[in-house]
Structures are given as C-alpha cells and as structure tokens.
Amino acid sequence: MLENQFWLKKSLEQMSQNEWEAICDGCGKCCLNTLIDSEYDDEFTVTEQLREGEELLFTSIACQYLDEQSCGCSDYENRQTLVPSCVKLTKENLASIFFMPPSCSYRRLHEGRGLASWHPLLNNGSKEKMHQLDISVQGKTVKDCDVDFDDFDLYVAQWPMKDCD
C-alpha cells in the first residue's frame, strides 16, 4: 500500500475498505472518554458539530478494552457490541470528525493536512516514532471501569490535543 501512496491520490470517500483501515494510525486516542463543557443546561443531544458555547474535553480515561501497550482494542471485532457507545468512524459519518483529536489521521486528511511524519504508513508500519513523539495513549490512561463516572471531570487532559507536523 505504501508504494502507491493512495492517501495522496484519493479522498477518504474514494478509499477501499483496506485503504480506509490503513489510514488509522493506531494511536488509541479515539478510545478516550470525552466530555462536553457547555453553557447550556439542557440535555445533551447528538450533533454533527459543537454548538457555540460548547467545548470538547478529552480525558485520560480509556475504554476498558483498550490495550495500552499496543494502543488497540483488545476485542476489535466485537467492540461495538461490548461498548454500544463506541463510535466506528466511517465514510458516512465523517461529519462527526470534530470529535476526533487533531492528530487523528482521518481528521488530518479530511482537513487537508496530510499524514503526519510519524504515521506508521510512512515508517514501515512501525508505531515507534508515534510513541516517541508522545502522540499515542501509551502509558497515559486509566480504565473507565476503574473510575467513578462522577469523577470523570477530574481526568480532563490536554495531551490528547497534541499534534505535530
């Protein structure tokens, strides 16, 4: 896949399923719990964008199925059954990409920023550069099953917003 650099020639919508899957950098940030800080008192409704007065906050709380060493799901095939709120990013729901961290390779391509130099596709499939640059979740999370929901706000973190080049 690297030889033809498909990500330079195709939009996300044009990619085959194998190409789409290869775009995932495997950082694990999509497995982090997020909160929306809002000026509104109403109940949260699902939207394709944040409303004015809302801010997406990342936490260092990860899904219980995240393997923190590999930064992947320990039961990828069944993830949406095990965790119904697990969002599977697809070509059809790209409008929701604002919920992904700035370093997300899908988001970077969607926004026209290209793949980062640390992406495994540009490093012989290795995630080492990504880990060295502190982009992944490796060594930074606590499992959601170990934190009381009322304490989630105590785990708001800035590091998931990190991106480089």
Side-chain angles (χ1 to χ4, degrees):
M1 278 196 196
L2 179 60
E3 301 81 39
N4 69 15
Q5 297 185 344
F6 63 90
W7 60 90
L8 296 175
K9 301 171 186 166
K10 296 181 178 182
S11 70
L12 288 167
E13 293 83 358
Q14 295 170 324
M15 291 181 188
S16 70
Q17 189 58 38
N18 284 341
E19 292 167 336
W20 177 269
E21 292 291 329
I23 292 303
C24 178
D25 51 56
C27 71
K29 288 181 183 176
C30 60
C31 299
L32 296 173
N33 284 266
T34 57
L35 304 170
I36 294 181
D37 185 18
S38 179
E39 296 175 353
Y40 302 97
D41 290 332
D42 60 351
E43 289 292 314
F44 174 75
T45 55
V46 177
T47 63
E48 290 187 352
Q49 61 188 9
L50 291 172
R51 299 179 292 183
E52 188 172 326
E54 292 182 330
E55 180 184 6
L56 182 65
L57 304 173
F58 284 88
T59 71
S60 57
I61 303 169
C63 173
Q64 64 184 315
Y65 297 102
L66 175 70
D67 177 332
E68 195 181 74
Q69 285 306 310
S70 71
C71 301
C73 183
S74 62
D75 197 351
Y76 187 76
E77 294 304 316
N78 298 307
R79 69 192 186 280
Q80 292 185 288
T81 301
L82 294 167
V83 182
S85 62
C86 177
V87 177
K88 178 181 179 182
L89 191 61
T90 66
K91 297 173 189 178
E92 292 73 34
N93 67 6
L94 271 175
S96 299
I97 198 105
F98 74 94
F99 279 109
M100 300 302 275
S103 62
C104 171
S105 295
Y106 295 103
R107 182 171 175 175
R108 289 179 60 98
L109 289 178
H110 183 70
E111 294 173 351
R113 295 186 289 134
L115 293 183
S117 64
W118 46 263
H119 194 287
L121 280 174
L122 302 176
N123 290 279
N124 299 315
S126 173
K127 293 183 180 182
E128 192 56 37
K129 190 171 182 182
M130 176 177 57
H131 297 317
Q132 288 172 350
L133 291 171
D134 212 25
I135 298 295
S136 75
V137 301
Q138 197 175 64
K140 300 181 195 129
T141 64
V142 61
K143 300 284 186 187
D144 55 9
C145 57
D146 295 332
V147 178
D148 186 273
F149 181 73
D150 291 335
D151 292 334
F152 272 38
D153 61 328
L154 302 175
Y155 292 84
V156 170
Q158 292 301 312
W159 61 262
M161 297 299 289
K162 181 177 182 176
D163 193 7
C164 56
D165 70 49

